[in-house]
Amino acid sequence: MKKIIQISILGLLATGVFASCSLDEINKSTETSDNYITSETEYEELVTAAYMYLRPLLGSTNTHMMWYGTDIYSRTGEVNSSSQVGIDDYSYLDPNDGSCYNYWSDNYNVITKTNTAMSRGEDIELSEGTRSVRTAEMLALRSYAYFNLVETFGGVPLVLEESLSPTYTYTRASEEEVYTQIVGDLETAIKSLPASLSSSDFGRVDLGMAKHLLGKVLLTRSYKSFAVSDDLSRAITYFNDVIALHPMVNDWSTLFGDNGYDNDNSEVIFSVRYSTNQSYNGLTGNGLYQHFKFALYMWPGNTHRGAPYWRSDVSYMASEDYLNSFEDNDIRSDETYLIRHVVAGASGSTGNITFEKGDTVIYFPKYEMSDEEITTYKAANPSVYLVCNPDRYHELFVVGNQNVCYPMVYKFYDPNIPEYTASVTDGEDGMGTRDTYIFRTAETKLLLAEAYLKNGKTDEALQQVNDIRTRASATSLTSIDLDGVLDESGRELFGEANRWMDLKRCGKLFERAYKYNKFVQAHHSSASDIDSYFLLRPIPQTEIERTQSSLTQNPGYSD
């Protein structure tokens, strides 16, 4: 959808008044939706706007809701009981938490735009084929947003029509009602969506996207008290359909690496699209390239936001167990995608160590090295000033400025990020241009493996997991269980899938968070010590106040 996203939306949504649970937009210009959106051209711009609102939804603060409090992600810094980030360690979670508010708002923004597009499409002269396909696309996008909301917050308001005047009273539908709506909308969408897309339409919702999402929704519902008897069997059917529509690529590096920023290939089922032309990306470029790296500029030899590692957003680090879970020959742990040898971006020195640009200065061994081994390694590699063992990733080192360091997940490298210069200010960060994967076939196969396991078909589940491992040049497994599927999902989909929702779905959230997240361990004595109300996030307090308390708070959280 490069072509689609590059269309100017002309201050789009020059509508009179829109309202949702989290947004009242009032246009003060003379241009209104009634006198602007009058033809297919403006209608297509309106549809485009709905897709564009996926960008902030997959932005930096919203990934807090996807990754914190899980097993393969952690925050950076020293681990101690006094350091609290409730969304990560389940020590507390305030209804005024900004991450919760942003996630709520950005999902409802998608819903608002899709409702508007469907409503305005009814009054514009369109071919019946165009109308049905675009409506199906909007139903799928709305379903995606509602699935995020219902799994994160529980029952939420079902807003299914365009809002033409401010509305301040909303009540929560039940989880079951929201699921029923999602399933029905996706079943309707599937009837009209194309099985394949032209190159100019790549990035739109297609049949594979809707079937993948519907399969995931049905699999999730199959664990619920209100499950429908055929949820699991239908999920398996849909997942197999998607794999046929979107076969995996043979080479994992096709998806990532130097050329992995424009992925119009069969495995990409759905993605948030960006242009290599920054003028089309506004202020919401892809920031994934900044994540999973420590504060490099604080270490000798690494310049502020300079090559070869660019800006570091130190919100996340990969957990120690994830980093060290790969077999040595697994392509996903190759130095291209998981950096253990940090090189200097500029020549320099520290203590009695001198190094040149490009020399290795920090080394993260996969296995713990003894003091004698470290001494021997440094003697053979005189530019290295620090060897950091796996048990020290949360330890403060006094080298340059005091800070922590750890291996960097580098699978989201973006070759289009410009070199920073001394004149670049903090407000002029280069924004990433590579696409953000929402769904790809490797996830479909892992969800299918989980569904097969739940259905008692262990051999079929094992085959799906081994297909992924074979592509990564990892050895095939001889047995599989749910934890094995989740382990493989973590290795394959790190930085992509909503890990919090995945672990919650199958009842493994607290167990695996406590086992692998050092900050969760610091605040709890066991997994059972974590209060069950953390299985939902709090309804944003701002939303409760806006609705004059017609919205109710989730149990366990103060109003």
Side-chain angles (χ1 to χ4, degrees):
M1 205 168 70
K2 297 286 186 184
K3 176 181 176 183
I4 298 170
I5 285 181
Q6 288 172 5
I7 298 173
S8 167
I9 61 171
L10 303 177
L12 228 162
L13 299 190
T15 43
V17 179
F18 288 116
S20 76
C21 293
S22 60
L23 181 65
D24 291 325
E25 298 181 7
I26 300 177
N27 174 52
K28 296 183 179 180
S29 75
T30 58
E31 196 78 78
T32 71
S33 60
D34 292 330
N35 61 31
Y36 178 73
I37 305 171
T38 59
S39 71
E40 185 170 349
T41 299
E42 293 85 27
Y43 169 71
E44 290 289 6
E45 291 182 2
L46 192 57
V47 169
T48 297
Y51 280 97
M52 291 176 67
Y53 272 80
L54 294 171
R55 288 177 173 177
L57 180 55
L58 274 294
S60 180
T61 57
N62 285 327
T63 55
H64 293 180
M65 305 291 281
M66 298 166 54
W67 299 335
Y68 276 152
T70 66
D71 52 348
I72 61 175
Y73 305 94
S74 176
R75 64 184 191 273
T76 62
E78 286 186 288
V79 176
N80 57 69
S81 59
S82 63
S83 174
Q84 294 184 334
V85 176
I87 201 168
D88 184 47
D89 55 43
Y90 304 112
S91 56
Y92 73 99
L93 189 50
D94 192 324
N96 291 299
D97 184 274
S99 298
C100 293
Y101 175 78
N102 289 338
Y103 198 64
W104 173 284
S105 297
D106 288 336
N107 275 290
Y108 269 112
N109 282 342
V110 172
I111 291 165
T112 297
K113 306 314 173 192
T114 56
N115 285 342
T116 302
M118 287 187 283
S119 172
R120 300 310 169 94
E122 295 173 359
D123 301 323
I124 294 174
E125 186 175 341
L126 302 167
S127 70
E128 196 51 44
T130 297
R131 191 191 316 277
S132 62
V133 170
R134 296 292 182 260
T135 298
E137 292 174 30
M138 296 298 97
L139 286 172
L141 293 185
R142 189 175 74 180
S143 297
Y144 172 66
Y146 269 122
F147 185 45
N148 291 333
L149 288 167
V150 72
E151 277 302 286
T152 304
F153 299 103
V156 294
L158 279 171
V159 182
L160 306 175
E161 303 290 340
E162 178 186 5
S163 299
L164 296 174
S165 61
T167 304
Y168 301 105
T169 301
Y170 288 93
T171 56
R172 300 173 63 176
S174 68
E175 282 193 53
E176 182 174 4
E177 289 169 330
V178 177
Y179 266 90
T180 299
Q181 184 69 45
I182 293 171
V183 171
D185 283 348
L186 288 171
E187 289 171 340
T188 298
I190 282 170
K191 297 174 184 177
S192 299
L193 289 168
S196 61
L197 298 167
S198 66
S199 58
S200 62
D201 276 345
F202 191 89
R204 285 191 184 274
V205 170
D206 69 358
L207 184 60
M209 182 277 191
K211 285 192 170 186
H212 176 100
L213 178 56
L214 181 51
K216 193 171 185 177
V217 169
L218 293 171
L219 174 60
T220 305
R221 191 170 70 174
S222 75
Y223 289 93
K224 308 280 187 181
S225 61
F226 51 85
V228 176
S229 60
D230 63 350
D231 279 347
L232 191 58
S233 61
R234 290 181 66 200
I236 290 171
T237 298
Y238 285 128
F239 291 145
N240 277 305
D241 289 348
V242 174
I243 292 167
L245 289 167
H246 287 271
M248 283 203 314
V249 296
N250 294 325
D251 185 356
W252 197 78
S253 63
T254 299
L255 299 160
F256 302 100
D258 290 1
N259 296 315
Y261 59 89
D262 192 13
N263 298 111
D264 298 4
N265 61 67
S266 64
E267 182 162 341
V268 180
I269 299 169
F270 191 56
S271 59
V272 177
R273 303 286 275 170
Y274 295 94
S275 173
T276 53
N277 184 336
Q278 289 279 10
S279 64
Y280 291 121
N281 293 332
L283 299 176
T284 56
N286 187 348
L288 267 176
Y289 80 93
Q290 302 175 13
H291 291 326
F292 319 121
K293 299 184 287 187
F294 56 93
L296 284 146
Y297 66 92
M298 301 186 75
W299 296 81
N302 287 284
T303 58
H304 184 56
R305 304 181 184 184
Y309 304 118
W310 318 110
R311 177 185 170 95
S312 301
D313 180 336
V314 294
S315 298
Y316 309 103
M317 66 168 281
S319 71
E320 294 93 318
D321 296 275
Y322 162 80
L323 290 166
N324 299 315
S325 69
F326 294 94
E327 294 179 355
D328 291 342
N329 59 334
D330 193 320
I331 189 175
R332 297 167 299 187
S333 66
D334 183 88
E335 192 77 20
T336 304
Y337 312 110
L338 179 56
I339 293 177
R340 295 185 178 278
H341 297 80
V342 176
V343 302
S347 301
S349 64
T350 180
N352 60 353
I353 303 293
T354 301
F355 47 82
E356 300 297 324
K357 179 179 180 179
D359 285 346
T360 299
V361 290
I362 303 176
Y363 173 52
F364 301 97
K366 181 175 180 180
Y367 306 104
E368 184 172 353
M369 294 175 67
S370 66
D371 291 342
E372 292 76 15
E373 289 171 324
I374 291 174
T375 298
T376 300
Y377 179 85
K378 285 185 171 182
N381 299 273
S383 64
V384 173
Y385 58 74
L386 178 65
V387 174
C388 180
N389 274 326
D391 63 346
R392 305 184 73 184
Y393 297 161
H394 288 289
E395 180 178 328
L396 292 178
F397 290 94
V398 185
V399 182
N401 291 301
Q402 183 170 275
N403 218 310
V404 298
C405 59
Y406 39 82
M408 298 184 292
V409 178
Y410 208 54
K411 65 189 276 193
F412 302 108
Y413 166 74
D414 190 335
N416 288 320
I417 297 299
E419 175 75 67
Y420 289 107
T421 66
S423 64
V424 173
T425 66
D426 286 354
E428 297 176 324
D429 287 340
M431 302 307 295
T433 63
R434 62 177 299 164
D435 300 338
T436 300
Y437 300 146
I438 296 181
F439 302 138
R440 60 182 176 92
T441 312
E443 182 190 24
T444 315
K445 291 177 75 67
L446 288 158
L447 291 169
L448 179 57
E450 180 185 332
Y452 275 143
L453 277 179
K454 197 170 188 293
N455 204 31
K457 298 181 178 181
T458 307
D459 290 343
E460 289 88 340
L462 182 62
Q463 182 61 57
Q464 299 303 317
V465 174
N466 279 336
D467 286 348
I468 291 169
R469 291 181 62 80
T470 297
R471 180 176 68 174
S473 299
T475 57
S476 293
L477 302 176
T478 56
S479 62
I480 195 68
D481 59 12
L482 181 55
D483 281 309
V485 172
L486 292 172
D487 289 343
E488 199 60 41
S489 176
R491 284 186 285 266
E492 178 68 23
L493 300 172
F494 185 92
E496 300 177 61
N498 189 321
R499 187 66 170 182
W500 191 88
M501 283 174 59
D502 285 343
L503 297 184
K504 177 192 170 182
R505 175 182 64 246
C506 56
K508 288 282 188 176
L509 178 60
F510 295 159
E511 174 189 333
R512 291 181 67 99
Y514 179 77
K515 184 176 181 179
Y516 297 115
N517 188 317
K518 298 297 188 291
F519 288 96
V520 175
Q521 293 173 8
H523 291 87
H524 300 280
S525 60
S526 66
S528 60
D529 180 49
I530 303 173
D531 289 320
S532 61
Y533 69 81
F534 284 114
L535 289 171
L536 294 175
R537 269 63 185 270
I539 305 296
Q541 183 62 28
T542 300
E543 296 302 289
I544 292 175
E545 293 170 358
R546 283 175 176 168
T547 64
Q548 301 172 23
S549 297
S550 63
L551 276 182
T552 57
Q553 184 56 269
N554 283 324
Y557 299 105
S558 59
D559 291 345

